[in-house]
Structure formats: C-alpha cells, structure tokens
Amino acid sequence: MTRRLENKIALVTGGTSGIGLATAKRFAAEGAHVYITGRRQAELDKAVAAIGNVTGVRVDSSKPEELDQLYKLIRAEKGRLDVLFANAGGGSMVPLGDITEAHYHDTFDRNVKGTLFTVQKALPLLAKGASVILAGSTTTIEGTAAFSVYSASKAAIRAFARSWILDLKDRGIRVNTISPGATRTPGLVELAGPDAAQQQGLLDYLASRIPMGRVGEPDEIAGAALFLASDDSSFVNGAELFVDGGQAQV
C-alpha cells in the first residue's frame, strides 16, 4: 500500500517536542522526507534520533534571517516543499493588568511574525498544490483567563488562512488551520509550573471540561495534520479543523 506522503518533502517548524515532534514522526512514517526546526540544539538532536528520515535545522522562526538560511538549505538539497506545517510558537499566562510590552512582543513575534515569515519565505519553494498547515488554538473561540495575548495571536493565525487562500489560489496551494484543544504536551503542563502535582491538577481540570473526559495526546493532533497534509484533504481549503474532544464545541 502506498504511504500517504510518499516522496513528499515536508517541513515542520517547532518539531522537537509535543505536537510538532509527533507530526514529524507521522509524516516520516508516511513516506515524506521531513525537515524539522527547533531553537535548542540538544532537543533538536534528540528529535532527529527519534524520527529517522529527517533533517534537523536549528532555527528561531521569529528571526527572518534564520528562515532564509533554512530555505536556502532545503532548496539546495530537495528543491521544493510539498507540505509546510508552521507549528513553532508558544505563550505564557499573564493576566490583564500585568501584561508587559516584552510579553506582548515575545508572544506575537513567536506566533504571528514567525508564522507570517515562515510561510512567505517558503513561497518560492512551495510546489503547485502544496499544503500549508497553520497552528491555531481553541483559545480563539473561548475565553481563557490570563491568556489574552496568546489567544489574540492565534486569532491572527486564523485570519491569515482566510486571506492567504485568495492570495495563493492561482498556484493551487491549500492553507488550513489546525486548532488543538488541551493536549498533553510539555508546553501545556509547564504552564502549571515545575511541580508534578500541580501539572497533574491542571490536566485533570482541563479534562473535566472536555466532553470526551480527557485531554488529547500529541499523536491525535498529528493524525489530523496528516489528513490536511495528504491528498485526502484535496478539497479542504481555508478551513479550521478543531481537534479538541469537543472542548470548544459545546
């Protein structure tokens, strides 16, 4: 049986842990040669060893000059990209009243600026009919205390997809957003601090708000990303795919 991404060239930014790592593993298992990026070399090396059929490149996606070097490498080695998952990003919890300019810039640089230039600088490499996947969040449609800056940054991501499909329609490039709910990733549990009991308490609380009664696992989000990357979603364009166990749907 032909694998779903056979002979495809894929890039997953922020591919060293959590959803990015799980997606890179799934893409590679389905036949793609995968490039992953990360900001820390040690974590990047571990991810490369865990995935196989992957090239790791140390890149901070909020720095356009580092993206330039990434795409120069991909052009020299493979000449094109068929799948781009702009997954790098993150945020921290700060309530209104305590938000600083530094917090704002850090969040928007990582999530909005990083996504914008990750996609824009990839355009010369994107093959006709390529799939671009943007990392959204359920926080765009439900309020979350102390998370307003992050939520706003992810709302910008959703807006990008709606407009970019019009900019790219002549090239047949699809742009979709994948919006996970609460998922058991290092980035999520670390919001509760370093204490293991507090981390489990956060996961238990989040699970209590999800109709399926549990938080998601990174590989479940990766399965949805695979659908958007593959030809199975050939007529899906500009959509937001919620993978949240019903969290934001009731």
Side-chain angles (χ1 to χ4, degrees):
M1 181 179 293
T2 301
R3 294 179 293 180
R4 294 163 76 182
L5 298 181
E6 196 74 53
N7 299 320
K8 301 286 189 182
I9 310 301
L11 168 63
V12 179
T13 64
T16 59
S17 68
I19 292 168
L21 176 59
T23 301
K25 287 180 177 178
R26 183 68 72 92
F27 284 1
E30 290 288 340
H33 181 87
V34 183
Y35 287 84
I36 61 169
T37 68
R39 296 187 296 172
R40 292 175 288 274
Q41 191 64 49
E43 285 82 353
L44 191 62
D45 292 341
K46 290 179 183 177
V48 169
I51 298 169
N53 196 30
V54 66
T55 302
V57 187
R58 185 175 179 179
V59 172
D60 181 339
S61 295
S62 69
K63 297 180 178 178
E65 65 276 11
E66 295 189 13
L67 291 168
D68 287 336
Q69 293 304 308
L70 167 67
Y71 290 130
K72 182 179 179 180
L73 174 67
I74 296 174
R75 177 180 293 280
E77 292 186 348
K78 301 296 183 181
R80 73 177 198 280
L81 272 176
D82 303 295
V83 179
L84 168 58
F85 183 15
N87 169 72
S92 54
M93 304 190 82
V94 179
L96 183 64
D98 294 331
I99 296 168
T100 64
E101 191 172 357
H103 170 69
Y104 167 82
H105 283 300
D106 177 67
T107 304
F108 269 72
D109 280 358
R110 292 168 68 187
N111 295 339
V112 182
K113 178 184 176 183
T115 298
L116 167 60
F117 289 104
T118 293
V119 176
Q120 180 166 282
K121 289 179 174 294
L123 291 179
L125 281 173
L126 289 174
K128 184 175 178 61
S131 173
V132 175
I133 306 164
L134 309 181
S137 170
T138 56
T139 60
T140 62
I141 62 168
E142 61 174 3
T144 306
F147 223 26
S148 61
V149 176
Y150 175 86
S151 301
S153 73
K154 289 299 185 178
I157 298 304
R158 180 67 184 100
F160 280 160
R162 285 193 169 99
S163 295
W164 287 350
I165 62 171
L166 300 175
D167 293 336
L168 298 173
K169 64 181 183 180
D170 292 340
R171 294 180 60 184
I173 296 172
R174 298 182 294 113
V175 183
N176 292 291
T177 305
I178 188 166
S179 291
T183 306
R184 192 191 309 271
T185 65
L188 176 67
V189 298
E190 288 167 4
L191 291 174
D195 183 75
Q198 289 182 331
Q199 292 178 353
Q200 188 58 51
L202 173 63
L203 292 174
D204 291 343
Y205 166 72
L206 293 171
S208 73
R209 300 179 61 243
I210 299 173
M212 291 188 70
R214 62 177 178 83
V215 299
E217 300 296 335
D219 196 55
E220 293 179 300
I221 316 303
L226 174 61
F227 166 71
L228 293 176
S230 74
D231 291 340
D232 290 345
S233 60
S234 59
F235 202 54
V236 179
N237 195 21
E240 182 171 18
L241 176 56
F242 288 95
V243 191
D244 66 350
Q247 176 181 346
Q249 313 309 317
V250 295

